[in-house]
Amino acid sequence: MAEVRRKSGKPLQVNPHKLSQPMGATLAFLGVDRCMPLMHGAQGCASFAKVMFTRHFCEPIALQTTAVNDVIAVLDGGDYSIVESVKNIHDKITPELIGVHTTGLTETKGDDLRGVASKIEVPLVYVNTPDYQGGLESGWTLTTQALIDQLTESCDRIDAQKIVLVPHVSLQPIEVEKLHDFIESFGFKVVAVPDLSSSLDNHLGEKQASLSSGGVTVAELKQLADAAFVVTVGASVKSVGATLQKKNPAIQHRHFDHVNGLVGTDALVAWLLEASARDTPPPVVERWRKRLQDAMLDSHFSIGQTRFLLVAEPDHLASMAASLREVGGKVSLAISTVDSPILGDIEADQVIVGDLEDAEKMRDAYDLIIGNFHTEALAHRVEKRAVMRGFPNYEEIGIALKNDLLYEGGAYFLFEIANAAERMREAQVHHERERIKLRGAA
Amino acid sequence: MSSKPKIKELLVESACEHNKTKKGSCNAPTPGATTGGCALDGAQIALFPFADAAHLIHGPMSCIGGAWETRLTPTSWSGRDLTQTGFATDITTNNVIFSGEKKLAAAIDHIVTHYAPEAVFVYSTCVTAMIGEDIDAVCKHRAEKHGIPCVPVHAPGFVGAKNLGSRIAGEAVLRHLIGTKEPEKTTPFDINLIGEHNNTGELWRYRHLLEELGIRVLSTFSGDGRIASIRTAHRAKLNVIICAKSLVSMTRKMQEQYGIPWISCSFYGKTDTSAGILAIAEALGDANLIARTRALIAREEARLDEQLVPYREIFAGKKAVLNTGGNKAWSIASALQDLGIEVVATSVRKSTEADKAKAREYLGENAILMTSPATQQAKVIDDTGAHLLLAGGRSLYTAIKKRIAFTDVNQEKKKSYGGYDGLLVLAEDLKNSLQNPVFELVDRKAPWQK
Ligand code: SF4
């Protein structure tokens, strides 16, 4: 469908939007209740991740580091720093889980994580996430797999009502909640893994950031394997289906690349009707579908004349492009952080793995930008407009409550984009008028 | 020869107050109980404000991912603002196995071709330091090829925390830039501002006053800084350190090498700003300059006092609890006192002995110095009847529980409270906090709560 360039071909990233694999791992652990993510590396990586998520979510973030220093880096195989860290964490608090994830430094020195983990008594999950490989999506997925692999108990029973939902990393907390509740409204019990919907959703509470609060519990993680279905949303988490099936081959896996827009949501609803043996969905679902239909017609004129640049993680690109395409939006350029099999399916003229320097060079290809907060400065430079989506966003508040998916979120998404496109054209017309006036005066 | 600084030497820096009580321990963070950025973070913070230089991180995305374009340090540089441009080699498994030096060289070429910087800073990181990349050699070659300074900065995160990183950055600039160029002219009142990052435009709140007095800022390290001017810094008559103990080693070495004396100042609040400007004039030692400075201070203070009149009424009798670290514990306290607010307690959790002494001196006998503010502050608010809590975002909940006004001290990361005019900004923000009903409202009982 699209022309895809999977490698950047440059010796560096200029104005990067790619985020590292350990950051994805941290975020996944934050979706587990009372978890302490422990990044195994020198102190800076954890600090950068903590600052980024704190500013993005406007929430205190629980994250510790094994604080490897130059001496330890040379002498220790990981035992000392991890064992000490676990001890020091437990001196102050008692987490339900410690989530050890590595960084480039500790991978380069070749620490034996499995060996160390086997010596530690307290509940702990470990995952290898060197930052010179993969990115945010893979860190999230590897961690989700590790959680299931190392915690979920094998099972041979099936609870016909139970569904395990695995969202991709770019779904914001409210989106996970909406999806969770949507599926439950068809009569299922849903456990989301990881679940940011109650941990990073901007609720008022006494949060000292000593531990994550909210999310899937360790007890729930242990008991995932009696689910009738595992539903994965996003190509990056598709493999988690098989991870869970290893614990119980009777679990059925249903995968969706996204659940955005009319067609995407219809696909989910069709399956839910079938799986729940119902003829009709709950009335509210029907109402939202009609609202989305109306929103599509109301927004098609504006979006249909707009050329888009999308800048995001692969799964996020796929979902946004699908929504825009449904109302005639032309995604002329989609820039991905990393390579992914989904890139070939994205409905865009051109899909590249690249950075914002690439975006700047191809400025003639698009009118409106959708991407993280870095695209705002880009928009200024290339004299366009940007709508903020994706990690990180330091410029706006309320990001955790932005909902773009299913019929409901789809309608809000189209409104927001259409309004932004109109304002952009309005500004252009104004600009043009001023220019003509000036010319007249001169 | 490697340009790697001797870490041990930097740690036992004699002029560094921070180390008097903590000798050596700066280098041993506690596993599982460490917060704060790494040396690379500190080095970047120190050097990033050079907007006419490119800052290239030689490492994976963890080291730059969320950390570029923080927009905190504005510049008046008319070219492309490279402070807001992120460069990283984004090394891959392949580079880890077969070396990333070629990639680094090509990255520098790319930057020079497309962005024409005045210099390139190349930062090593844990992985590239661990696999032994020779960034000195690469920098040397590229500097010769392109005819601009390429400065290796050896501050991989595993050597220590932010403080050390900023010292290493100072070291790199001292070694590779300072003294490599002569200024077009010199004046008897040339100074360098060291450790002034122009965070949120802080520098611009007082630089014009110095200029009005005829004091010339020859160079800054590094707020609104220029590579061309830092290269001439060795010709200054005085180094002024702005609230940055970590750079004392740099100024001390400049004193040894170039005979430049140094003083330390803060430009936070009225009292400190006046004291700072006067200290500079006195250090330059010209009687006429000192007299003019006193006159300027009198004029500025009078102007400020007049502008503060409407606020005094609002702040009269108001008490504040301050929970913030390091030198802010007393510098903000001093600014609050300038506004007529009584500071009844401050945090000394992470303070050095000197900071504690200073806090006591500023706040007086009866004030409470909190050693564990997170657990103490709620009670302190009750005991003192405070009206306002100034703290980091995490303490917001305490203020809401106590139904008193809250101001996020980290707000100053977005707007400047420095200099005389900054005090007006602070006053306005505090007034808005004190008059905002949200702190009383938000925690009211829900209709279904008894
Ligand atoms: S600790 Fe090392 S790897 Fe981590 S951010 Fe700092 S320099 Fe990079």
Side-chain angles (χ1 to χ4, degrees):
Chain A
M1 177 177 305
E3 183 195 322
V4 184
R5 190 192 80 192
R6 293 185 185 274
K7 273 198 138 163
S8 103
K10 290 192 296 195
L12 79 172
Q13 294 247 3
V14 182
N15 293 340
H17 67 129
K18 178 181 168 184
L19 295 169
S20 74
Q21 195 162 246
M23 286 177 170
T26 301
L27 199 53
F29 282 124
L30 288 171
V32 178
D33 192 29
R34 297 188 55 76
C35 175
M36 175 56 87
L38 176 62
M39 205 184 274
H40 183 33
Q43 70 186 85
C45 316
S47 169
F48 279 137
K50 187 170 178 142
V51 169
M52 184 180 91
F53 289 131
T54 305
R55 290 183 64 190
H56 178 89
F57 288 110
C58 291
E59 291 277 345
I61 296 291
L63 174 59
Q64 256 307 332
T65 168
T66 56
V68 173
N69 66 14
D70 44 356
V71 182
I72 291 169
V74 178
L75 298 177
D76 172 47
D79 297 41
Y80 167 79
S81 11
I82 296 178
V83 173
E84 273 301 292
S85 297
V86 170
K87 209 173 79 201
N88 288 332
I89 291 169
H90 272 263
D91 276 352
K92 288 191 206 140
I93 36 171
T94 313
E96 290 283 318
L97 187 72
I98 290 182
V100 181
H101 44 306
T102 58
T103 59
L105 172 65
T106 49
E107 289 289 331
T108 313
K109 69 195 194 77
D111 285 359
D112 170 24
L113 221 51
R114 182 199 294 260
V116 185
S118 66
K119 289 183 216 154
I120 290 173
E121 306 277 279
V122 304
L124 177 144
V125 163
Y126 62 90
V127 56
N128 295 87
T129 46
D131 40 17
Y132 46 77
Q133 279 171 16
L136 196 71
E137 282 190 349
S138 59
W140 170 271
T141 301
L142 288 170
T143 304
T144 308
Q145 286 178 307
L147 285 167
I148 293 171
D149 236 6
Q150 295 165 44
L151 289 179
T152 305
E153 290 156 8
S154 295
C155 180
D156 50 17
R157 282 170 296 106
I158 282 292
D159 176 345
Q161 251 59 57
K162 183 165 168 180
I163 290 183
V164 172
L165 167 68
V166 184
H168 66 81
V169 68
S170 302
L171 294 187
Q172 291 301 312
I174 197 69
E175 298 188 303
V176 177
E177 178 175 298
K178 292 281 178 186
L179 191 50
H180 174 283
D181 292 357
F182 190 85
I183 299 175
E184 289 211 329
S185 74
F186 285 78
F188 293 102
K189 290 178 295 188
V190 178
V191 183
V193 184
D195 185 1
L196 297 180
S197 71
S198 48
S199 64
L200 290 176
D201 63 330
N202 298 129
H203 62 276
L204 178 66
E206 187 151 19
K207 286 168 281 187
Q208 294 293 336
S210 46
L211 285 176
S212 64
S213 71
V216 59
T217 63
V218 172
E220 286 169 327
L221 281 168
K222 285 187 177 155
Q223 252 135 66
L224 291 180
D226 61 351
F229 300 98
V230 54
V231 173
T232 48
V233 178
S236 62
V237 291
K238 192 171 182 181
S239 55
V240 180
T243 312
L244 188 57
Q245 281 173 321
K246 265 191 232 145
K247 302 288 181 173
N248 184 351
I251 300 174
Q252 296 180 55
H253 178 199
R254 187 72 176 85
H255 174 73
F256 299 90
D257 283 338
H258 63 82
V259 288
N260 292 57
L262 187 68
V263 179
T265 312
D266 277 352
L268 174 67
V269 172
W271 177 73
L272 284 171
L273 289 173
E274 181 199 313
S276 63
R278 292 176 178 224
D279 295 327
T280 51
V284 67
V285 172
E286 267 184 75
R287 274 207 305 283
W288 270 114
R289 190 172 190 279
K290 287 181 187 149
R291 288 178 187 139
L292 174 60
Q293 288 170 312
D294 199 53
M296 291 170 75
L297 293 173
D298 289 349
S299 65
H300 86 278
F301 185 70
S302 170
I303 295 181
Q305 57 180 310
T306 308
R307 299 172 309 154
F308 291 91
L309 161 65
L310 305 185
V311 178
E313 298 293 334
D315 286 341
H316 201 187
L317 287 177
S319 64
M320 291 192 291
S323 286
L324 295 170
R325 267 313 299 151
E326 289 187 347
V327 291
K330 298 178 225 354
V331 180
S332 40
L333 180 60
I335 303 186
S336 175
T337 48
V338 291
D339 192 10
S340 156
I342 196 71
L343 297 189
D345 296 336
I346 290 173
E347 302 184 55
D349 297 340
Q350 209 185 347
V351 180
I352 64 172
V353 174
D355 54 28
L356 299 187
E357 183 189 62
D358 299 329
E360 202 169 327
K361 273 204 192 121
M362 299 189 214
R363 63 172 78 190
D364 294 333
Y366 52 86
D367 311 310
L368 190 64
I369 307 168
I370 308 179
N372 71 16
F373 95 100
H374 293 301
T375 62
E376 184 152 284
L378 169 73
H380 284 300
R381 282 197 296 273
V382 298
E383 294 172 352
K384 321 257 168 171
R385 250 177 207 254
V387 177
M388 307 285 99
R389 283 295 186 279
F391 291 107
N393 183 351
Y394 305 149
E395 294 294 298
E396 297 179 325
I397 55 173
I399 298 139
L401 303 184
K402 274 254 170 208
N403 174 25
D404 293 341
L405 51 68
L406 302 172
Y407 299 133
E408 179 185 351
Y412 290 133
F413 178 70
L414 294 181
F415 293 144
E416 186 181 344
I417 301 301
N419 289 337
E422 279 317 295
R423 278 202 302 276
M424 175 193 69
R425 274 187 285 275
E426 193 54 46
Q428 281 168 353
V429 168
H430 178 79
H431 195 72
E432 184 68 9
R433 227 181 274 143
E434 292 299 305
R435 235 166 34 102
I436 290 169
K437 267 193 225 162
L438 273 180
R439 220 188 287 145
Chain B
M1 196 185 74
S2 166
S3 66
K4 283 184 194 163
K6 303 209 170 54
I7 303 290
K8 285 273 139 45
E9 226 168 68
L10 288 176
L11 280 172
V12 290
E13 169 53 53
S14 55
C16 170
E17 289 169 65
H18 192 70
N19 258 349
K20 255 180 216 150
T21 46
K22 274 188 163 183
K23 207 157 230 154
S25 69
C26 295
N27 201 25
T30 317
T34 295
T35 50
C38 63
L40 169 73
D41 196 358
Q44 285 180 28
I45 291 169
L47 297 172
F48 259 31
F50 285 120
D52 57 351
H55 302 269
L56 173 60
I57 312 289
H58 187 36
M61 297 314 286
S62 282
C63 310
I64 187 173
W68 67 278
E69 200 191 11
T70 49
R71 300 192 194 175
L72 295 177
T73 51
T75 181
S76 59
W77 168 245
S78 58
R80 179 153 179 165
D81 182 355
L82 296 175
T83 296
Q84 309 304 341
T85 310
F87 298 103
T89 51
D90 184 20
I91 55 158
T92 59
T93 313
N94 227 3
N95 303 137
V96 173
I97 299 170
F98 299 110
S99 151
E101 289 172 13
K102 279 213 184 85
K103 190 175 193 178
L104 175 60
I108 296 173
D109 293 347
H110 180 101
I111 290 170
V112 174
T113 311
H114 293 95
Y115 298 89
E118 299 288 309
V120 181
F121 289 99
V122 176
Y123 302 77
S124 72
T125 62
C126 292
V127 173
T128 49
M130 187 80 179
I131 59 176
E133 300 273 276
D134 190 352
I135 69 169
D136 283 336
V138 176
C139 283
K140 192 160 176 286
H141 282 141
R142 295 296 117 170
E144 280 161 14
K145 178 175 168 188
H146 297 298
I148 56 163
C150 291
V151 182
V153 184
H154 293 281
F158 61 28
V159 299
K162 267 200 223 174
N163 250 318
L164 179 61
S166 88
R167 262 174 265 172
I168 293 172
E171 202 68 19
V173 165
L174 194 58
R175 192 178 180 119
H176 295 276
L177 294 175
I178 292 174
T180 60
K181 204 177 151 184
E182 290 303 323
E184 274 168 27
K185 58 162 192 172
T186 55
T187 79
F189 304 138
D190 282 355
I191 64 168
N192 299 318
L193 297 174
I194 307 287
E196 169 58 82
H197 297 151
N198 198 27
N199 274 330
T200 64
E202 210 106 283
L203 165 65
W204 296 339
R205 293 237 189 261
Y206 65 85
R207 189 171 59 186
H208 62 284
L209 297 175
L210 298 177
E211 280 163 2
E212 185 186 331
L213 291 167
I215 297 170
R216 185 170 76 140
V217 178
L218 177 64
S219 79
T220 62
F221 180 88
S222 53
D224 197 12
R226 301 287 186 278
I227 295 299
S229 44
I230 193 72
R231 295 176 70 179
T232 67
H234 57 297
R235 295 298 178 208
K237 305 296 184 296
L238 178 69
N239 272 334
V240 180
I241 301 190
I242 315 294
C243 278
K245 292 185 194 110
S246 54
L247 290 169
V248 170
S249 60
M250 178 177 178
T251 50
R252 191 182 48 74
K253 282 186 186 167
M254 285 178 77
Q255 185 162 28
E256 282 166 15
Q257 287 177 27
Y258 305 111
I260 306 173
W262 59 274
I263 58 169
S264 178
C265 298
S266 150
F267 290 94
Y268 209 98
K270 182 178 80 174
T271 314
D272 282 357
T273 303
S274 296
I277 297 176
L278 187 60
I280 294 174
E282 284 174 345
L284 289 168
D286 180 275
N288 188 280
L289 174 68
I290 296 170
R292 274 185 286 133
T293 304
R294 288 191 198 280
L296 176 130
I297 290 170
R299 182 194 78 197
E300 287 296 310
E301 291 197 350
R303 180 183 62 88
L304 180 65
D305 284 342
E306 201 186 302
Q307 285 173 298
L308 284 174
V309 169
Y311 295 101
R312 298 232 184 255
E313 211 169 297
I314 302 166
F315 297 150
K318 292 284 187 289
K319 297 178 195 166
V321 171
L322 183 57
N323 173 7
T324 178
N327 57 346
K328 279 208 254 167
W330 50 265
S331 62
I332 296 185
S334 155
L336 291 172
Q337 289 169 335
D338 287 339
L339 293 174
I341 295 173
E342 186 190 350
V343 182
V344 290
T346 193
S347 157
V348 290
R349 192 171 74 87
K350 277 188 181 172
S351 302
T352 59
E353 287 306 319
D355 281 332
K356 275 183 210 168
K358 218 150 185 181
R360 176 57 76 202
E361 178 197 323
Y362 275 65
L363 267 58
E365 289 281 294
N366 297 326
I368 304 163
L369 302 187
M370 301 182 288
T371 46
S372 165
T375 50
Q376 275 175 288
Q377 60 187 5
K379 188 169 177 294
V380 169
I381 290 168
D382 285 340
D383 293 350
T384 58
H387 307 87
L388 179 68
L389 175 63
L390 280 102
R394 263 182 220 187
S395 297
L396 174 60
Y397 200 72
T398 309
I400 286 167
K401 276 281 154 215
K402 296 291 160 200
R403 302 196 167 201
I404 67 166
F406 179 82
T407 296
D408 190 340
V409 281
N410 297 323
Q411 205 50 40
E412 64 150 354
K413 288 185 179 159
K414 290 194 180 156
K415 54 210 276 197
S416 160
Y417 293 152
Y420 295 115
D421 292 339
L423 205 56
L424 287 168
V425 181
L426 177 65
E428 182 65 21
D429 283 353
L430 294 179
K431 181 192 91 176
N432 289 340
S433 284
L434 283 165
Q435 295 179 343
N436 199 319
V438 67
F439 306 106
E440 289 219 20
L441 264 180
V442 72
D443 199 39
R444 76 195 288 259
K445 283 202 165 62
W448 57 87
Q449 285 173 327
K450 286 273 145 40

CSV table of all heavy atoms in Angstrom, one decimal, chain A residues 42 44-45 48, chain B residues 38 40 63 125-126 157, ligand 1:
chain,number,residue,atom,x,y,z
A,42,ALA,N,23.3,2.5,35.1
A,42,ALA,CA,23.8,3.7,35.8
A,42,ALA,C,22.6,4.6,36.1
A,42,ALA,O,21.6,4.5,35.4
A,42,ALA,CB,24.9,4.4,35.0
A,44,GLY,N,21.5,7.5,35.5
A,44,GLY,CA,21.0,8.6,34.6
A,44,GLY,C,19.8,8.1,33.8
A,44,GLY,O,18.8,8.8,33.6
A,45,CYS,N,19.8,6.8,33.3
A,45,CYS,CA,18.8,6.3,32.5
A,45,CYS,C,17.4,6.4,33.2
A,45,CYS,O,16.4,6.8,32.7
A,45,CYS,CB,19.0,4.9,32.0
A,45,CYS,SG,20.7,4.6,31.5
A,48,PHE,N,16.3,10.0,33.6
A,48,PHE,CA,15.7,10.6,32.4
A,48,PHE,C,14.3,10.0,32.2
A,48,PHE,O,13.3,10.8,31.8
A,48,PHE,CB,16.5,10.2,31.2
A,48,PHE,CG,17.7,11.2,31.0
A,48,PHE,CD1,19.0,10.7,30.6
A,48,PHE,CD2,17.6,12.5,31.1
A,48,PHE,CE1,20.1,11.5,30.4
A,48,PHE,CE2,18.7,13.4,30.9
A,48,PHE,CZ,19.9,12.9,30.6
B,38,CYS,N,22.5,11.6,35.9
B,38,CYS,CA,23.8,11.1,35.8
B,38,CYS,C,24.8,12.3,35.4
B,38,CYS,O,24.3,13.4,35.1
B,38,CYS,CB,23.9,10.0,34.8
B,38,CYS,SG,23.5,10.5,33.2
B,40,LEU,N,26.3,12.6,32.6
B,40,LEU,CA,26.0,13.1,31.3
B,40,LEU,C,24.9,14.2,31.4
B,40,LEU,O,25.0,15.3,30.7
B,40,LEU,CB,25.5,12.0,30.4
B,40,LEU,CG,24.9,12.4,29.1
B,40,LEU,CD1,25.9,12.9,28.1
B,40,LEU,CD2,24.0,11.3,28.5
B,63,CYS,N,19.9,8.1,26.5
B,63,CYS,CA,20.6,9.2,27.0
B,63,CYS,C,20.1,10.5,26.5
B,63,CYS,O,20.5,11.6,26.9
B,63,CYS,CB,22.1,9.0,26.6
B,63,CYS,SG,22.8,7.4,27.0
B,125,THR,N,28.9,8.3,26.5
B,125,THR,CA,27.8,7.8,27.4
B,125,THR,C,28.3,6.4,27.9
B,125,THR,O,29.4,5.9,27.5
B,125,THR,CB,26.5,7.6,26.7
B,125,THR,OG1,26.7,6.6,25.6
B,125,THR,CG2,26.0,8.9,26.1
B,126,CYS,N,27.5,5.8,28.8
B,126,CYS,CA,28.0,4.6,29.5
B,126,CYS,C,28.4,3.5,28.5
B,126,CYS,O,29.5,2.9,28.6
B,126,CYS,CB,26.9,4.0,30.4
B,126,CYS,SG,26.6,5.0,31.8
B,157,GLY,N,27.4,8.4,32.3
B,157,GLY,CA,26.7,8.4,33.6
B,157,GLY,C,27.3,7.6,34.7
B,157,GLY,O,27.1,8.0,35.9
C,1,SF4,S1,23.5,6.7,33.0
C,1,SF4,FE1,24.8,6.3,31.2
C,1,SF4,S2,23.4,5.3,29.8
C,1,SF4,FE2,22.1,6.2,31.3
C,1,SF4,S3,21.6,8.2,30.5
C,1,SF4,FE3,23.4,8.5,31.7
C,1,SF4,S4,25.1,8.3,30.2
C,1,SF4,FE4,23.3,7.4,29.3
